[in-house]
């Protein structure tokens, strides 16, 4: 896909995601190190008023990163697939040919089996062995039916 044909949302998310992450981290640092929760003048833990929104903002950057870079991931995957394909062209062709041979062999065998199953048989009047219904001569003893 052409870079300037991409929907604007991807570009916007690519810009917003690192800002969200940065703002989130700053709020977490402010809430834990600079303005912690105090009790009787002593710091007792992170300040929820800064720490909680910091965590929410920081974590909300993850889907923004993911969606923003989705089209790039797609491009990379296509490039990788093409590279693999080019690099293994002979092997892939061999594999495709082998599969085609196996498939055609199976089809032939199945068709033969169906044909064989549809055949009518009778027993030779002379030797008593099984012969095809429409055969004029016995394939075992050679006598006419
Ligand atoms: Zn016979």
């Amino acid at each position: 896909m052409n870079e300037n044909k991409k929907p604007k949302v991807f570009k916007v998310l690519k810009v917003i995601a690192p800002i969200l992450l940065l703002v989130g981290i700053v709020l977490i640092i402010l809430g834990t190190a600079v303005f912690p929760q105090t009790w009787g003048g002593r710091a007792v833990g992170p300040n929820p008023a800064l720490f909680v929104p910091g965590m929410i903002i920081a974590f909300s950057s993850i889907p923004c990163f993911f969606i923003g870079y989705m089209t790039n991931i797609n491009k990379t995957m296509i490039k990788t697939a093409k590279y693999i394909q080019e690099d293994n062209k002979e092997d892939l062709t061999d594999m495709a040919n082998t599969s085609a041979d196996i498939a055609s062999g199976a089809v032939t065998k199945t068709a033969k089996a169906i044909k064989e199953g549809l055949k009518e048989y009778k027993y030779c009047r002379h030797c008593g062995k099984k012969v095809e219904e429409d055969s004029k001569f016995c394939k075992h003893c050679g006598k006419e039916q």
Side-chain angles (χ1 to χ4, degrees), residues 124-129 131 138-143 145:
C124 175
R125 281 188 286 165
H126 306 281
C127 70
K129 282 183 178 158
V131 287
C138 172
K139 65 178 174 182
H140 304 286
C141 65
K143 284 184 180 156
Q145 298 297 301

Side-chain angles (χ1 to χ4, degrees), residues 33-48:
V34 186
F35 305 109
Q37 183 87 309
T38 52
W39 186 260
R42 281 178 54 203
V44 289
N47 186 343

Side-chain angles (χ1 to χ4, degrees), residues 31-73:
T32 48
V34 186
F35 305 109
Q37 183 87 309
T38 52
W39 186 260
R42 281 178 54 203
V44 289
N47 186 343
L50 291 166
F51 185 77
V52 173
M55 287 295 273
I56 292 167
I57 292 168
F59 274 101
S60 68
S61 73
I62 294 168
C64 293
F65 271 116
F66 186 76
I67 297 164
Y69 284 90
M70 221 160 47
T71 52
N72 293 53
I73 292 166

